[in-house]
Amino acid sequence: MFTGIVEAVGEVVEATPKSGDLSLRIRTGKLDLADVALGDSIATNGVCLTVVDLPGDGFRADVSRESLSLTTIGQWRPGQCVNLEKALLPTTRLGGHIVSGHVDGFGEVVSRQADARSERFRLRAPEQLAHYIAHKGSITVDGTSLTVNRVEGAEFELNIVPHTLAETIMGEYKPGTQVNLEVDVLARYLERLLQGGGKTEPQGMTAEFLAEHGFK
């Protein structure tokens, strides 16, 4: 699990096809790897990757075909910058929100414009993910925990402060940039509860139940 608070910006060193999937080597920059061991997880642009080698200046990870189909990893090339975050500890401050590192799909930057010292971004999500995105709710974009400022159909807006622009790869975004998206896991569990856990008839929590108790 992760918080969506990016710890460092790294760089793709190698992206090598290997027997149908991909082997990645990431240079981790200022990310402290002293407490990282083989088998640990590092979120890389929001994708939970398992460390299979520690060559000294970073780590290597294998990427499955499933991950390649749902994320932007297949587009990564040597020299590309990526957001990095180590898995959280029980003592970690939860400064963002609960992030699994399991990307739901990729979206696209539609527009970018200055808004005082901040930048306002408009992104488009896949239609099947749009209903999970809520005004003032949380969303993870390339591993960064962000607050949604506005929603219109499958498009949503983000206001990004200077610190986030400087400490993540968002400063490089432009219209057409594709990004990894992970919706708030709480929205997914709530949907499952409303569906009755797969039963024919909803059981327990329903839309009517929530409305009766003030959740409208």
Side-chain angles (χ1 to χ4, degrees), residues 108-183:
E108 183 177 329
V109 177
V110 176
S111 64
R112 172 180 179 171
Q113 64 183 52
D115 186 2
R117 292 185 302 118
S118 301
E119 291 282 324
R120 188 171 294 274
F121 291 87
R122 189 175 185 89
L123 285 78
R124 183 182 298 112
E127 292 290 341
Q128 67 271 22
L129 297 182
H131 66 286
Y132 295 110
I133 303 172
H135 176 238
K136 295 304 178 183
S138 296
I139 191 166
T140 307
V141 179
D142 277 342
T144 307
S145 172
L146 299 168
T147 300
V148 176
N149 286 345
R150 186 177 181 183
V151 181
E152 291 183 0
E155 296 189 356
F156 61 97
E157 290 187 359
L158 306 167
N159 192 67
I160 309 302
V161 297
H163 177 80
T164 303
L165 289 171
E167 297 298 323
T168 73
I169 65 170
M170 294 195 74
E172 301 177 355
Y173 288 178
K174 58 185 179 182
T177 298
Q178 292 192 316
V179 296
N180 292 320
L181 299 179
E182 181 186 332
V183 299

Side-chain angles (χ1 to χ4, degrees), residues 14-174:
E14 298 174 8
T16 308
K18 192 173 182 180
S19 301
D21 50 37
L22 195 70
S23 174
L24 282 177
R25 180 180 171 190
I26 305 294
R27 184 178 293 121
T28 51
K30 68 177 184 180
L31 188 70
D32 183 7
L33 298 179
D35 59 349
V36 174
L38 299 184
D40 285 353
S41 298
I42 296 178
T44 308
N45 268 14
V47 185
C48 178
L49 296 179
T50 300
V51 176
V52 299
D53 186 28
L54 290 164
D57 62 347
F59 69 96
R60 292 183 185 272
D62 295 321
V63 184
S64 69
R65 294 176 66 182
E66 172 74 5
S67 294
L68 290 171
S69 70
L70 292 175
T71 73
T72 60
I73 292 180
Q75 304 171 21
W76 295 0
R77 299 292 182 268
Q80 177 169 337
C81 293
V82 290
N83 292 324
L84 300 173
E85 181 191 355
K86 293 184 292 186
L88 63 84
L89 300 171
T91 55
T92 302
R93 290 178 177 171
L94 193 61
H97 70 285
I98 297 174
V99 176
S100 69
H102 301 156
V103 171
D104 294 299
F106 49 87
E108 183 177 329
V109 177
V110 176
S111 64
R112 172 180 179 171
Q113 64 183 52
D115 186 2
R117 292 185 302 118
S118 301
E119 291 282 324
R120 188 171 294 274
F121 291 87
R122 189 175 185 89
L123 285 78
R124 183 182 298 112
E127 292 290 341
Q128 67 271 22
L129 297 182
H131 66 286
Y132 295 110
I133 303 172
H135 176 238
K136 295 304 178 183
S138 296
I139 191 166
T140 307
V141 179
D142 277 342
T144 307
S145 172
L146 299 168
T147 300
V148 176
N149 286 345
R150 186 177 181 183
V151 181
E152 291 183 0
E155 296 189 356
F156 61 97
E157 290 187 359
L158 306 167
N159 192 67
I160 309 302
V161 297
H163 177 80
T164 303
L165 289 171
E167 297 298 323
T168 73
I169 65 170
M170 294 195 74
E172 301 177 355
Y173 288 178
K174 58 185 179 182

